[in-house]
Amino acid sequence: MGTAEWRDARRVRSRRAENDREDNIFNGGTRLESTRIDGVPVLRLSAWPANVANPPHSFALALADSTGSGSAPDPAENDWPDEDFGDDDEQEERRNLRPDFKRDFAEYSEGSTDWEPAGATTPLPLKLEWRQTAESRWQFDFQLEPDARCFALGERQSGLNLRSAVHTLFNTDDDKHIESIDSMYISIPFLIVWHRGQCSALFLDSPARQKWDLDAELTGNGRIELLSRRGWQLYMLGPGRLPDMVSAFTKVTGRSPLPPLWALGHQQSRWSYPDQDTVIRIASEFRSRQIPCDTIVLDIDYMEDYRVFTYSKERFPEFKQLISDLGNNDFKVVVIVDPGVKKDVKYQVFKDGKKHGLFCTTSDGKPFVGEVWPGASVLPDFVKPETRTWWAAQHGFYTDLGVAGIWTDMNEPSLFQNQRPLDKDAKELPPDNRQLFMQQAPEGPVGHFEVRNVYGLQMSRATYDGLLALRPRERPFVLTRSAYAGIQRYAAVWLGDNRSWWEQLARSIPMLLNMGLSGVPFCGVDIGGFYEDCSAELLVRWYALGIFYPFFRNHCSRLSCSQEPWAFSPVAEGHCKALIEWRYRLLPYIQQLFFEHARTGAPLMRPMAWHYPDDEFAVEIDDQFLFGEDILVAPIVQRGRTTRSVYLPEGRWHSLDGKQSFEGGRLHKMRFGLGQVPALVRDGAILPLADVMQTTRELAKSPITFHCYGDSGRGYFYEDDGISFEYLDGDFNQWRVSVENGTFRAQPMSLGFERPERKYQLLYKGKSQPVQLII
Ligand code: GLC
């Protein structure tokens, strides 16, 4: 084809894209409102079809009610039901517990947002137009500037820039984490469009299937296709800077409360440590080898026949004692809980749930049965408030045993025989009663596909609320695989069943960056890789990056070789140990970053563009990232490599030990040997560093070193009790520390926490000197 023909062909193609807009059949109700959130202009468009009585309610929002103006979950909605859940005394006792919603961290979201009606002619950002093209299909067309970049959308198997691909949001358990995988476990329909440092963003709040075509045909057009018979709300944010988008979005969907301190430490997991002796052996290896670790995670084999809310009396005969012994050695225990409840009439959880109609149903009202770990199983209907309350109460089983946190898994929900219940090319939804199963949303019965993407969110919410009700004075720790917008209010996430491949080590960076931009700060991937056999070198390199994952867990499958830090050679073990020790040294900095997230929505792992929006080169980089503002992480992600190029943005940068410094604004060839932390520190930063410790419990008393990088510097130091919600009442300490002309100052910003005795020192120009933090 000659150039002219080629040009013609392209023209025909883009005309085709234009024409392929179908007729608009919409004749329902709409509402357009506007507000400003954190200074960002926000438009909200609600639309509902003629046969739907009311405007849609929000599925995601922290501050959710139908108008979006509430400021905390409605306690009435979370009231424990009056029905009898069986005569089991324990059940009775549990259902009398009440969650204490006063402690809702929504406090940080600072109250309500006033929405004003906006004129129907208000221009929409990105020249957005929408239409209903079939009873259950909607299209949203928008324009993308040729050099615009696309970020966020939750969990995507992609580089940082999501452009020129189609992204399907329909939660799916697909363990083939290869380039062409589309739907994953998590869907967050929030897209940030970056254009020369200015951003706008779209958030389509609907838990039904969405396909986001981000200019896959290279015509400059974007299109969302939503399959739903119900209404939706579309938020349009901007213009603003990248941090503004995330701040406003997390103001709407909520921010993560501070995690319990122990959950920020090193977690060791395996599918599965099969019996209590193995667990004891693993735990004592950590202590005898002095490799820091806070948590042992128990996967599905701790249960009796994979029945949730049980443990195997045969393999874990002294379960409670085990947890208490581990506790005496400063280990917390996290257990997995799947949604699939074994269909067994002799099993209390099944009996109770069935009696009270708490499971998803077939169209004739019988519990829907699918195949998961326990065999034939039923699924709790988590969009139903009563189910959440009941599920929450079940967790008394674990808290009574001393279990510290809950890992909710398989909650897409995953069903062995039916991982893809909706054809990927489906252009319409089947009728409600043919959507795998039915659920009971507060507004009435609904087909599962309409709400599939909130199954994991609502399960996590129930779990979080349960832990909070059962231990009101402690911050719950919940980990989830499946999620939707707003998950950060309830759970940390990990990105599912990755592989022990170097490519997946590298890919974890942009994937986690997009999670952070989607409002989820507390995230990570399985360190060492889940499937396949890890190698010594890969494990060491994975730890070198993993110490910067906000969620820091080594986990692998039963089919893989062991990959605890000592599983390979003593040399590899030494490297892993040294790296994990750095994680613990960085804890004061990490705590400050979580605190910052709670106030501003900022993720911990940030793309370079977050702090260097005018640096065109930095914007494209997704094989290195910023951990907070001060640390630049540039890991080695290829086998056999010890050097890589690192792009340093403007200013000077220092090696972590402060001994070398580098000029910014250009690429450097750098060497990171095995076991070395692949990070640089911004000139002018002060990092608060703890001493090496074995668990986070030692942090309270650890001496703190303020390491000043450069001639002068600034930083923060945050501390609280690490476990309660008292920080919401101001019971925390925070200092702004600085060094000017060689003089150290610590300016208190909050002094609400009675602090333990500890020593402080300043490390400045290679010399240490004691300093005081004056109250
Ligand atoms: C799922 C989880 C994995 C877990 C396994 C067994 O595949 O993603 O982490 O180990 O189930 O529970």
Side-chain angles (χ1 to χ4, degrees), residues 271 299-300 336 373 407 409-410 481 494 497 530 555:
W271 174 24
D299 206 324
I300 47 176
I336 196 168
W373 300 122
W407 166 19
D409 188 28
M410 305 288 279
R481 187 170 76 178
W494 98 108
D497 299 343
F530 179 74
H555 177 55

Side-chain angles (χ1 to χ4, degrees), residues 449-494:
F449 299 161
E450 293 273 7
V451 288
R452 180 171 173 90
N453 288 344
V454 286
Y455 194 88
L457 173 93
Q458 298 292 15
M459 180 184 182
S460 305
R461 174 182 179 186
T463 309
Y464 181 93
D465 286 351
L467 293 180
L468 185 60
L470 290 152
R471 284 192 296 235
R473 303 182 63 79
E474 289 184 30
R475 306 173 195 170
F477 173 72
V478 179
L479 172 69
T480 183
R481 187 170 76 178
S482 184
Y484 180 72
I487 189 64
Q488 62 275 9
R489 305 198 300 281
Y490 308 117
V493 301
W494 98 108

Side-chain angles (χ1 to χ4, degrees), residues 147 149 151 159-161 194 607-609 612 615-624 647:
D147 50 351
R149 295 185 171 81
F151 306 139
L160 180 61
N161 188 356
W194 163 290
M608 306 296 291
Y612 301 94
D615 181 335
E616 273 179 54
F617 196 68
V619 168
E620 294 229 321
I621 291 176
D622 63 3
D623 63 349
Q624 57 179 67
Y647 179 71

Side-chain angles (χ1 to χ4, degrees), residues 225 299 344 464 646 659 721 748:
E225 180 200 76
D299 206 324
D344 173 355
Y464 181 93
V646 180
K659 291 189 177 145
D721 66 13

Side-chain angles (χ1 to χ4, degrees), residues 383-552:
V383 297
K384 196 171 165 171
E386 294 81 6
T387 306
R388 292 201 297 272
T389 306
W390 169 77
W391 191 257
Q394 299 301 325
H395 287 78
F397 173 79
Y398 295 117
T399 52
D400 287 353
L401 289 166
V403 166
I406 301 292
W407 166 19
T408 63
D409 188 28
M410 305 288 279
N411 47 359
E412 294 70 33
S414 174
L415 293 169
F416 293 160
Q417 267 96 31
N418 206 345
Q419 295 293 18
R420 293 180 183 282
L422 177 61
D423 187 85
K424 87 176 186 351
D425 297 321
K427 283 280 164 204
E428 293 234 35
L429 280 185
D432 271 343
N433 59 8
R434 294 215 338 263
Q435 297 182 15
L436 197 58
F437 49 76
M438 294 291 294
Q439 298 193 242
Q440 302 290 327
E443 59 273 30
V446 60
H448 169 60
F449 299 161
E450 293 273 7
V451 288
R452 180 171 173 90
N453 288 344
V454 286
Y455 194 88
L457 173 93
Q458 298 292 15
M459 180 184 182
S460 305
R461 174 182 179 186
T463 309
Y464 181 93
D465 286 351
L467 293 180
L468 185 60
L470 290 152
R471 284 192 296 235
R473 303 182 63 79
E474 289 184 30
R475 306 173 195 170
F477 173 72
V478 179
L479 172 69
T480 183
R481 187 170 76 178
S482 184
Y484 180 72
I487 189 64
Q488 62 275 9
R489 305 198 300 281
Y490 308 117
V493 301
W494 98 108
L495 302 188
D497 299 343
N498 61 356
R499 275 160 211 268
S500 300
W501 292 347
W502 289 88
E503 289 81 355
Q504 303 230 337
L505 168 65
R507 199 23 89 75
S508 70
I509 301 174
M511 289 182 78
L512 292 170
L513 290 177
N514 275 324
M515 286 302 297
L517 295 176
S518 307
V520 186
F522 199 9
C523 54
V525 307
D526 287 343
I527 290 173
F530 179 74
Y531 285 124
E532 318 286 346
D533 288 346
C534 192
S535 67
E537 186 188 358
L538 180 58
L539 186 68
V540 172
R541 290 301 188 192
W542 216 310
Y543 267 111
L545 169 55
I547 60 171
F548 296 101
Y549 294 159
F551 173 63
F552 180 46

Side-chain angles (χ1 to χ4, degrees), residues 202-513:
L202 302 174
F203 167 39
L204 180 54
D205 188 14
S206 162
R209 194 187 82 178
Q210 306 186 14
K211 271 193 180 182
W212 291 62
D213 177 341
L214 301 178
D215 193 20
E217 296 287 345
L218 308 181
T219 56
N221 296 306
R223 170 176 291 173
I224 316 167
E225 180 200 76
L226 167 71
L227 294 192
S228 168
R229 288 197 177 81
R230 290 167 173 80
W232 43 264
Q233 292 190 311
L234 176 69
Y235 291 74
M236 292 158 275
L237 290 69
R241 297 169 316 127
L242 184 56
D244 300 331
M245 296 299 109
V246 180
S247 168
F249 175 64
T250 52
K251 197 114 180 209
V252 173
T253 57
R255 291 176 183 150
S256 172
L258 292 189
L261 177 59
W262 61 263
L264 303 181
H266 182 213
Q267 306 201 13
Q268 180 64 50
S269 182
R270 176 81 203 251
W271 174 24
S272 290
Y273 294 129
D275 50 43
Q276 64 182 40
D277 290 347
T278 312
V279 173
I280 293 167
R281 183 173 54 75
I282 295 291
S284 52
E285 292 285 1
F286 275 106
R287 292 296 179 256
S288 64
R289 293 165 189 273
Q290 299 212 297
I291 300 172
C293 185
D294 267 74
T295 302
I296 302 285
V297 182
L298 301 184
D299 206 324
I300 47 176
D301 295 288
Y302 78 85
M303 294 180 238
E304 188 69 56
D305 264 348
Y306 303 131
R307 285 175 168 84
V308 286
F309 310 106
T310 69
Y311 62 83
S312 160
K313 302 239 158 48
E314 194 190 323
R315 284 170 291 106
F316 289 85
E318 285 111 30
F319 198 77
K320 193 167 185 175
Q321 188 62 42
L322 171 72
I323 293 178
S324 140
D325 290 349
L326 288 169
N328 292 336
N329 286 290
D330 287 345
F331 279 105
K332 301 282 183 191
V333 173
V334 167
V335 299
I336 196 168
V337 178
D338 292 334
V341 170
K342 190 174 176 70
K343 180 175 172 278
D344 173 355
V345 287
K346 294 207 205 86
Y347 172 36
Q348 180 70 20
V349 181
F350 173 75
K351 261 195 338 200
D352 251 6
K354 183 159 183 270
K355 180 167 155 202
H356 296 282
L358 303 175
F359 298 127
C360 301
T361 61
T362 55
S363 52
D364 56 2
K366 301 219 177 76
F368 166 84
V369 180
E371 189 83 13
V372 253
W373 300 122
S377 305
V378 293
L379 294 170
D381 180 0
F382 290 112
V383 297
K384 196 171 165 171
E386 294 81 6
T387 306
R388 292 201 297 272
T389 306
W390 169 77
W391 191 257
Q394 299 301 325
H395 287 78
F397 173 79
Y398 295 117
T399 52
D400 287 353
L401 289 166
V403 166
I406 301 292
W407 166 19
T408 63
D409 188 28
M410 305 288 279
N411 47 359
E412 294 70 33
S414 174
L415 293 169
F416 293 160
Q417 267 96 31
N418 206 345
Q419 295 293 18
R420 293 180 183 282
L422 177 61
D423 187 85
K424 87 176 186 351
D425 297 321
K427 283 280 164 204
E428 293 234 35
L429 280 185
D432 271 343
N433 59 8
R434 294 215 338 263
Q435 297 182 15
L436 197 58
F437 49 76
M438 294 291 294
Q439 298 193 242
Q440 302 290 327
E443 59 273 30
V446 60
H448 169 60
F449 299 161
E450 293 273 7
V451 288
R452 180 171 173 90
N453 288 344
V454 286
Y455 194 88
L457 173 93
Q458 298 292 15
M459 180 184 182
S460 305
R461 174 182 179 186
T463 309
Y464 181 93
D465 286 351
L467 293 180
L468 185 60
L470 290 152
R471 284 192 296 235
R473 303 182 63 79
E474 289 184 30
R475 306 173 195 170
F477 173 72
V478 179
L479 172 69
T480 183
R481 187 170 76 178
S482 184
Y484 180 72
I487 189 64
Q488 62 275 9
R489 305 198 300 281
Y490 308 117
V493 301
W494 98 108
L495 302 188
D497 299 343
N498 61 356
R499 275 160 211 268
S500 300
W501 292 347
W502 289 88
E503 289 81 355
Q504 303 230 337
L505 168 65
R507 199 23 89 75
S508 70
I509 301 174
M511 289 182 78
L512 292 170
L513 290 177

